[in-house]
Amino acid sequence: MNIVKKLPVVCLLVLVSGISHAHNAAHNAKKMFKEVASLDSVPGISAAYADINGIKWAKGFGYADIEKKVKMKANTKLRIGSIAKVITAAGLMRMYEQGSINFTSDIRELVHEWPEKHAAINLSHLVSHTSGIRHYISYAEFFSNVEYTSSIDALSIFSNDELLFTPGSDFGYSTFGWTLVSAVMERADNNRNFKNIIREEVLAPLEMDNTDFDDNAPIISNRQSSYSYYGEQLQNSPEVNQSYKYAGGGFLSTPSDVVKFAMAHVRDGYLNEHSLNLLFSKSELGDGTQVDAGIGWFIGFSTELKQAKEDAEANQELIRILNEHPISVSHSGGSVGGSSMMILCLDHKHAVAVAKNVDGDPQADVFELALKTLDIFHHNKRR
């Protein structure tokens, strides 16, 4: 039976209209990213969009490897940088639901190696960047090519340095703080190392088959080549070792896996309502001041909106899109040879991820590209 022939004319018109609008959205997104991939500073870029019904669009543009002329594809595994923090946060919340994690206890109850000279730090401080633990202080740290055998081993990079402020009194972004988070997770579990916790609590249940740890030695299919843009010239990135920051910036993934991960937070079955409320609630300092970080995730666009309004005439479109997605959570990522952005819009229940295999590129802003992609598909759905 030809089902289409049996449909009323009105239904057929609605069906055709829906297909046409979806095609237009994909066409407009494709056009935008093709233009980006044509820039001299962008070797390759990949993007994906998903709503409550699944991944609706995913595509790669340009090259995953310029020298070998390997095209960027939707399944190319890219360095997603600090988006790793929210993946780690999901594993942490699974442990919290299982009763093995306490957010308020001094982390030294588990990680005895953390120096006694420091003021007491708990997990709530670490996951909201209010611990006082420093971020990178040199290019040498960011470009580290040292192999660390464990999260505990990697603490030696920063554990003896003075805290920047009393824990809970201020905000200071810190990737190193998440290295300490991974050490706490390992000690709280006893039986699994950090990689196994993430594989069993996040990657496997969410079927993130194209996400892995960014280790140099293993052969990883569809892995990106890494590029840096400095002095107005594209070049191969230096080799780096991510073992000191798996939890805070050491994953390879695809935009498709990233939006699949994001959408699990607006569907039933992965994390309970209490955990989601904790993840997506702004943290408070000791004096009651709120910061824009929850557990791993950044909440809302207040900072971005303020910056856009400083040059409102130039940023009218950006301001409009930000105002249309006020209840959103997100995280960006910067790596050697990579830049990425993920946005999960909680009110409209859709997500977007963008990643490129280059750092230092001044022309293709992944945050603006992610917002524009969200906008393209959002307005398609509203038609």
Side-chain angles (χ1 to χ4, degrees):
M1 179 186 295
N2 189 329
I3 297 176
V4 173
K5 288 183 179 179
K6 298 292 184 180
L7 288 173
V9 173
V10 172
C11 291
L12 280 173
L13 289 174
V14 171
L15 177 63
V16 171
S17 176
I19 293 171
S20 176
H21 288 156
H23 175 77
N24 287 340
H27 172 77
N28 291 338
K30 179 180 178 180
K31 179 181 178 182
M32 179 174 69
F33 282 101
K34 281 186 72 174
E35 291 176 357
V36 170
S38 70
L39 297 171
D40 291 340
S41 59
V42 180
I45 192 164
S46 182
Y49 168 84
D51 64 18
I52 201 68
N53 297 310
I55 297 170
K56 296 301 181 181
W57 181 79
K59 195 167 180 62
F61 302 85
Y63 290 97
D65 187 314
I66 298 174
E67 293 172 334
K68 297 178 182 177
K69 300 299 181 186
V70 178
K71 295 283 189 180
M72 179 73 74
K73 297 180 180 178
N75 67 345
T76 301
K77 298 183 180 75
L78 296 143
R79 285 179 170 164
I80 59 170
S82 289
I83 292 175
K85 293 178 176 68
V86 293
I87 295 175
T88 299
L92 186 68
M93 297 314 295
R94 294 271 285 193
M95 294 179 68
Y96 173 74
E97 291 182 0
Q98 295 158 13
S100 60
I101 285 294
N102 183 322
F103 279 97
T104 58
S105 297
D106 188 331
I107 56 93
R108 280 175 294 220
E109 292 181 13
L110 292 170
V111 183
H112 310 300
E113 293 83 354
W114 188 248
E116 287 290 337
K117 70 175 185 175
H118 295 313
I121 294 173
N122 60 40
L123 266 177
S124 290
H125 297 139
L126 293 173
V127 297
S128 61
H129 302 282
T130 61
S131 69
I133 293 173
R134 69 174 178 82
H135 195 43
Y136 306 110
I137 57 173
S138 68
Y139 284 112
E141 288 184 341
F142 188 62
F143 287 88
S144 173
N145 198 24
V146 177
E147 177 76 26
Y148 291 90
T149 59
S150 67
S151 298
I152 297 295
D153 187 23
L155 297 181
S156 63
I157 301 170
F158 60 91
S159 60
N160 287 313
D161 295 337
E162 295 299 323
L163 299 181
L164 301 180
F165 49 81
T166 301
S169 67
D170 203 351
F171 176 89
Y173 187 85
S174 173
T175 288
F176 289 133
W178 284 81
T179 300
L180 186 50
V181 170
S182 62
V184 173
M185 291 171 70
E186 289 185 332
R187 289 290 173 79
D189 186 273
N190 281 326
N191 298 315
R192 297 178 293 180
N193 63 23
F194 176 73
K195 287 183 176 181
N196 285 336
I197 292 171
I198 294 301
R199 286 176 180 135
E200 294 173 16
E201 301 296 343
V202 186
L203 306 187
L206 298 184
E207 298 181 349
M208 296 171 66
D209 299 329
N210 287 310
T211 303
D212 210 335
F213 295 92
D214 187 13
D215 288 320
N216 293 338
I219 302 299
I220 298 177
S221 62
N222 301 313
R223 190 205 296 245
Q224 70 162 79
S225 292
S226 300
Y227 302 95
S228 299
Y229 190 78
Y230 291 118
E232 299 184 357
Q233 184 177 4
L234 197 64
Q235 54 191 298
N236 290 308
S237 299
E239 182 177 291
V240 292
N241 190 301
Q242 314 283 30
S243 58
Y244 72 98
K245 61 171 183 180
Y246 288 128
F251 288 87
L252 294 167
S253 190
T254 64
S256 294
D257 261 16
V258 172
V259 293
K260 183 189 296 185
F261 166 81
M263 292 305 299
H265 294 73
V266 292
R267 294 195 185 97
D268 295 333
Y270 181 60
L271 294 173
N272 64 39
E273 185 176 355
H274 177 64
S275 294
L276 292 170
N277 286 336
L278 290 175
L279 279 174
F280 300 146
S281 295
K282 291 187 177 184
S283 301
E284 288 190 357
L285 302 178
D287 63 3
T289 302
Q290 287 190 330
V291 297
D292 289 339
I295 296 179
W297 296 78
F298 282 95
I299 316 300
F301 292 133
S302 59
T303 300
E304 292 82 2
L305 198 53
K306 181 180 178 181
Q307 291 173 346
K309 287 179 177 178
E310 290 176 358
D311 188 1
E313 186 174 344
N315 295 317
Q316 285 184 5
E317 182 184 22
L318 189 62
I319 292 169
R320 175 189 63 77
I321 300 171
L322 289 169
N323 282 325
E324 288 185 10
H325 294 82
I327 309 175
S328 295
V329 293
S330 62
H331 214 294
S332 61
S335 307
V336 176
S339 182
S340 59
M341 186 71 208
M342 172 191 59
I343 301 171
L344 169 61
C345 180
L346 298 173
D347 48 355
H348 302 127
K349 294 187 177 179
H350 56 171
V352 63
V354 176
K356 56 184 178 179
N357 57 340
V358 61
D359 67 88
D361 158 44
Q363 300 183 79
D365 186 312
V366 290
F367 175 64
E368 290 192 16
L369 288 167
L371 275 179
K372 288 177 181 178
T373 304
L374 204 63
D375 187 57
I376 287 169
F377 286 94
H378 177 57
H379 282 274
N380 164 71
K381 288 176 68 175
R382 291 172 62 184
R383 287 192 178 99

